[in-house]
Amino acid sequence: MEILALLAHGFEEVATWQSLLSIILGSALGICIGGLPGLNASMGVALLLPLTYGMTALPAIAMLLSIYCGAIYGGSITAILLSTPGTTAAACTVFDGSALAKKGQPGKALSMAATASFVGGLFSVFVLIFMAPPLAQIALMFSPADYFSLIFFGLSIVSSLSEDHIVKGLMSAVLGLLISTIGIDIISGTDRFTFGVAELLNGVSFIPALIGLFAVSQLFITVEKKTSEGTEGAKYISTAIINLKDFLSVKWCLVRSSVLGTLIGILPGAGATIAAFIAYNEGRRWSKHPEEFGKGCLEGIAAPESANNAATGGAMVPLLTLGIPGSETTAVLVGAFMIQGLRPGPLLFRDNPELVYGLFAALILANVTFYVMGMLGARLFAQVSKIPEKVLIPLILSLAIIGSYAEHNSLVDVVFMFGFAVLGYFMRKFHFPVAPMVLALVLGPMAESNLGRAMVISDNDWSVFYTRPISLTFMIFGLASLLFPIFREIRNKRRRESIHTLERA
Amino acid sequence: MKKTEITGDFWIGIGTLLFSVIVHQWALEFTTMEDVSGVGAEVFPRVFARALMVLAVLLAISGLRGDPQRPKPSFAGLPWAALMATLSFAFVALLPIFGYLLLSPVYAVLATTIATRRFRVRDMVPVLAIVLGIYIVFAHLLKVPVPHGIMA
């Protein structure tokens, strides 16, 4: 009850013109930044931090939090409309969002993404408000071995991402893992596969890989045939949004993904991307129609979008309760706090409770704001699907080039982007799925660094992965997730062969 | 006796096998620090290379069996895709010299010409507007640095 009273007071604190305008402006800017490939939430918060110098603490941090929440949602817009995720957290949304848009229902896809993001974000804010301190203690229990097992679980979904041809999917993932080893080894400092090129010492950035593999490779396939004068096939594009029936059809998926996203977001370093992939995999596993995933089903959009926005609230748990930034974006937020003369951590609750609960109220309002903007904008954004290909092609290329260049101000990243586009072109031609490679590029470095740390801490004792309960649990889930689709594919293949034999007989 | 049809997957499998052997041998040159952690710099690349070898062999075997239901890839449009790729790499090579603002409109116009197979002035107006708009948003509104080349 005391928490509710404090929260009510927090709403009073945030109900000023300056704070409300900050939240609205922050949400709008966040959506725009998240929607631009190559700019992610942390970059957006860092770029717009100077805007807050003249503000007092609550509106300043409320604006940055709104940018954070809006950017994570905004990545889904280009993921759905242009098959180019605006942020890595929206990479999973491409599979079903883009497919549904190509079926002529971009409005439904966009509104589903907005709704799922809102539900996930709101859920995690309430968890943050009511359960932050005990959850923070759980986060502290995770050791590098547990992180490695969690990442292994995240990587294990490659089997389900490649059910058409599992060997090709696994090859795509392993090749991605190999590419992720390029650069300096974080434990030993040895440079690997760099060919003496200085720009490769930091490894291959996954944003150019993401853009090249998803968007530009598809573009290379599109130009094989002469593009049409109007929209693709001139088919009807519906701007209808989801209705209550659609929402109810994904309700359990939303609940499950919100919980997963919040819990994974709490873990420092885990982040929205891994939350989205794991939620997508679990959404597919628990779905009544798993065969529809990847073909434009609403659950395939709801799962990753609710998880990635749920991770935003989760990431605030270690930041506010322990002063530990859980992600790149929250690391920038620590800077924002310090600019305002504040230090996030347990003392913030004691010394500035009205600010803390004001921020909780601001987070709730930020989620509501981007949801309203997203739903109002869904029909408008859906018009992008009507843009002729001859206009879309330069749009995608321009965004791809600047998006790849923006991260490190390096032309090498643009070269990589086109290189991955060529690789992605041939992968698509020979039916190799590109999603496992992207997943491996994102998670590979995290897996290796946590494995190395786990070995250092345990003094090279490998039993740490099965003696620690958390690690053992994720290892079992990961093995099941990896092997189950393989066994299912073998069983289905034998059934098809026996049916074929019977027919011939 | 059933005729064995060698598909593209077989050759991809063989090529990947050779590639993974080369990577594996290369990885042996990396320094190991087993006294600090049991996972030296060479461990992950070698593990992945070995996994790739196994998968490559499986792919080659499945490529020998063939899959009548899977359509063969068509490369009829490869020259156009190759032209687009060549244009893209040429763009990147020239970008440090001419800068984004000068070169990107040329690149976008040529890319659109390749896609539509013809050059019409009225088609290029929205193309140029988009390219310029994106430049203004990134370079001037968001202050994201772009290569300036001779305009610097």
Side-chain angles (χ1 to χ4, degrees):
Chain A
M1 290 304 290
E2 189 190 342
I3 292 177
L4 288 174
L6 285 167
L7 188 61
H9 188 62
F11 274 105
E12 283 174 20
E13 290 285 321
V14 88
T16 62
W17 282 113
Q18 195 183 20
S19 296
L20 291 173
L21 274 173
S22 299
I23 291 169
I24 293 170
L25 184 62
S27 297
L29 288 170
I31 292 172
C32 293
I33 284 169
L36 292 170
L39 294 184
N40 52 30
S42 59
M43 224 183 260
V45 171
L47 279 171
L48 296 167
L49 181 60
L51 286 178
T52 66
Y53 287 164
M55 296 182 188
T56 52
L58 182 56
I61 299 173
M63 175 183 253
L64 297 173
L65 288 175
S66 304
I67 292 169
Y68 183 23
C69 297
I72 297 292
Y73 155 65
S76 66
I77 297 174
T78 41
I80 289 166
L81 297 175
L82 303 178
S83 302
T84 309
T87 59
T88 50
C92 255
T93 310
V94 173
F95 309 145
D96 284 275
S98 167
L100 191 56
K102 283 174 185 158
K103 280 184 184 176
Q105 298 179 64
K108 206 169 236 195
L110 288 165
S111 54
M112 184 77 257
T115 305
S117 297
F118 168 67
V119 169
L122 206 62
F123 176 84
S124 70
V125 173
F126 283 116
V127 167
L128 171 66
I129 293 169
F130 293 103
M131 297 176 65
L135 284 172
Q137 295 307 313
I138 293 174
L140 286 178
M141 288 163 57
F142 270 67
S143 73
D146 304 321
Y147 273 104
F148 174 79
S149 302
L150 173 67
I151 293 164
F152 171 71
F153 177 42
L155 280 168
S156 68
I157 76 165
V158 296
S159 288
S160 55
L161 288 176
S162 41
E163 280 199 10
D164 276 353
H165 199 306
I166 286 186
V167 170
K168 288 185 176 178
L170 290 173
M171 281 179 77
S172 175
V174 172
L175 190 58
L177 287 169
L178 256 180
I179 294 172
S180 76
T181 61
I182 294 173
I184 292 180
D185 172 42
I186 197 166
I187 301 292
S188 65
T190 309
D191 60 298
R192 301 179 296 195
F193 308 120
T194 57
F195 301 94
V197 175
E199 286 85 354
L200 284 177
L201 288 174
N202 282 331
V204 174
S205 177
F206 52 81
I207 288 179
L210 194 75
I211 295 172
L213 285 169
F214 273 123
V216 184
S217 64
Q218 182 60 50
L219 208 138
F220 284 173
I221 289 178
T222 302
V223 300
E224 283 186 323
K225 293 182 190 140
K226 181 181 166 187
T227 55
S228 57
E229 292 297 313
T231 55
E232 197 180 75
K235 65 178 185 293
Y236 173 68
I237 304 285
S238 163
T239 55
I241 60 176
I242 57 167
N243 52 33
L244 184 61
K245 186 181 167 196
D246 293 326
F247 176 76
L248 291 174
S249 70
V250 301
K251 59 181 185 299
W252 295 121
C253 180
L254 288 174
V255 169
R256 186 175 44 245
S257 304
S258 300
V259 171
L260 274 172
T262 305
L263 292 176
I264 292 171
I266 287 168
L267 306 174
T273 306
I274 188 172
F277 274 103
I278 289 177
Y280 183 83
N281 190 41
E282 293 308 303
R284 185 175 181 156
R285 195 206 306 280
W286 289 91
S287 171
K288 289 177 188 165
H289 303 284
E291 70 283 357
E292 292 296 317
F293 273 67
K295 296 175 187 166
C297 82
L298 290 175
E299 282 178 307
I301 301 169
E305 282 301 309
S306 58
N308 65 25
N309 269 83
T312 60
M316 297 299 293
V317 170
L319 174 68
L320 290 178
T321 57
L322 303 170
I324 300 171
S327 60
E328 279 180 357
T329 313
T330 47
V332 180
L333 285 171
V334 169
F337 274 96
M338 292 174 78
I339 286 169
Q340 299 293 335
L342 301 164
R343 181 124 184 102
L347 294 180
L348 192 68
F349 280 81
R350 189 194 68 184
D351 298 336
N352 301 91
E354 67 287 344
L355 172 70
V356 173
Y357 283 88
L359 289 178
F360 291 160
L363 270 170
I364 293 172
L365 290 176
N367 277 280
V368 171
T369 307
F370 81 65
Y371 174 63
V372 169
M373 288 181 182
M375 293 302 279
L376 289 175
R379 289 185 208 266
L380 179 64
F381 298 145
Q383 303 297 326
V384 170
S385 294
K386 295 182 180 174
I387 295 175
E389 274 179 347
K390 63 185 178 193
V391 176
L392 268 183
I393 286 169
L395 173 66
I396 292 171
L397 283 173
S398 303
L399 286 174
I401 290 161
I402 293 193
S404 303
Y405 183 83
E407 199 188 11
H408 297 123
N409 299 339
S410 169
L411 276 175
V412 173
D413 284 340
V414 185
V415 173
F416 279 139
M417 186 269 290
F418 284 123
F420 275 106
V422 171
L423 175 65
Y425 169 83
F426 286 106
M427 284 176 71
R428 288 176 191 271
K429 281 289 182 183
F430 287 103
H431 308 290
F432 280 79
V434 296
M437 181 176 277
V438 170
L439 179 64
L441 282 167
V442 173
L443 298 182
M446 291 164 64
E448 192 177 9
S449 66
N450 280 291
L451 180 64
R453 284 195 203 109
M455 289 290 96
V456 170
I457 291 169
S458 69
D459 200 20
N460 299 330
D461 182 7
W462 289 86
S463 68
V464 69
F465 293 105
Y466 54 83
T467 52
R468 287 183 63 83
I470 298 172
S471 175
L472 179 64
T473 306
F474 282 123
M475 276 290 176
I476 291 171
F477 284 162
L479 281 169
S481 177
L482 188 66
L483 296 173
F484 185 67
I486 294 172
F487 290 140
R488 190 168 57 202
E489 174 61 18
I490 292 171
R491 186 193 64 197
N492 289 343
K493 205 170 178 181
R494 283 188 183 156
R495 255 190 218 154
R496 282 197 298 269
E497 280 170 3
S498 64
I499 290 169
H500 188 58
T501 309
L502 282 169
E503 280 172 357
R504 277 198 298 176
Chain B
M1 192 175 183
K2 186 183 167 187
K3 188 180 173 187
T4 303
E5 185 190 343
I6 296 177
T7 63
D9 286 352
F10 172 78
W11 297 112
I12 293 171
I14 297 297
T16 307
L17 182 62
L18 290 171
F19 168 77
S20 51
V21 167
I22 292 169
V23 167
H24 186 272
Q25 292 309 109
W26 189 353
L28 290 172
E29 294 172 14
F30 299 146
T31 309
T32 61
M33 289 181 69
E34 288 179 5
D35 54 333
V36 175
S37 114
V39 183
E42 84 291 358
V43 169
F44 261 46
R46 284 175 66 193
V47 165
F48 297 148
R50 286 177 190 172
L52 206 52
M53 283 179 210
V54 171
L55 292 168
V57 168
L58 290 173
L59 185 68
I61 292 169
S62 81
L64 276 177
R65 287 185 191 150
D67 185 353
Q69 290 176 349
R70 191 175 293 282
K72 286 184 184 168
S74 163
F75 289 99
L78 180 62
W80 293 105
L83 185 60
M84 182 67 103
T86 306
L87 176 71
S88 302
F89 283 111
F91 167 77
V92 179
L94 294 171
L95 200 53
I97 303 167
F98 294 102
Y100 182 83
L101 189 58
L102 276 182
L103 203 57
S104 57
V106 175
Y107 173 63
V109 163
L110 288 173
T112 307
T113 306
I114 291 171
T116 55
R117 308 290 195 264
R118 67 177 175 190
F119 180 86
R120 271 200 313 204
V121 174
R122 73 169 192 209
D123 285 347
M124 301 309 158
V125 172
V127 169
L128 293 174
I130 283 167
V131 169
L132 198 59
I134 288 173
Y135 170 77
I136 290 170
V137 166
F138 275 86
H140 293 282
L141 287 180
L142 297 173
K143 306 291 182 198
V144 173
V146 294
H148 292 296
I150 58 176
M151 302 275 288

